[in-house]
Amino acid sequence: MIMKTYVPGTGVHAEVGDQIVVGGPAVGTPGRDGEVIALHHEDGTPPYDVRWSDTGRTTVFFPGPDAHVRHLHEESGRPRPSEQ
């Protein structure tokens, strides 16, 4: 088995503390969001353990096409650990 590493600009990538945002299942229905609390792969590829804000429950999450990651650490101006 060949392990691939994450290449910036390709696929989904998250770090602990990032926010997962998922669109609603139909127009006019709310989506949901949650915090990535653990990674299953060191390179930040899915799946993720996500604590959902609407229920407080934690699930293993495999992002679909309606999901995206908000990198909160970039928005706050804090550098990623790899950039320090």
Side-chain angles (χ1 to χ4, degrees):
M1 173 191 248
I2 298 174
M3 294 292 292
K4 294 184 178 181
T5 58
Y6 172 73
V7 177
T10 61
V12 178
H13 174 260
E15 296 179 11
V16 173
D18 285 347
Q19 182 181 40
I20 298 285
V21 180
V22 182
V27 174
T29 58
R32 66 191 309 205
D33 65 275
E35 178 185 358
V36 176
I37 61 168
L39 304 175
H40 288 249
H41 304 286
E42 289 183 16
D43 64 356
T45 56
Y48 310 113
D49 288 348
V50 175
R51 181 182 308 117
W52 298 103
S53 63
D54 58 347
T55 64
R57 294 185 64 186
T58 300
T59 62
V60 176
F61 179 69
F62 294 83
D66 59 342
H68 67 275
V69 177
R70 289 186 59 215
H71 301 286
L72 301 180
H73 46 81
E74 291 178 351
E75 292 176 10
S76 68
R78 291 182 299 165
R80 289 183 172 187
S82 62
E83 295 173 350
Q84 293 179 356

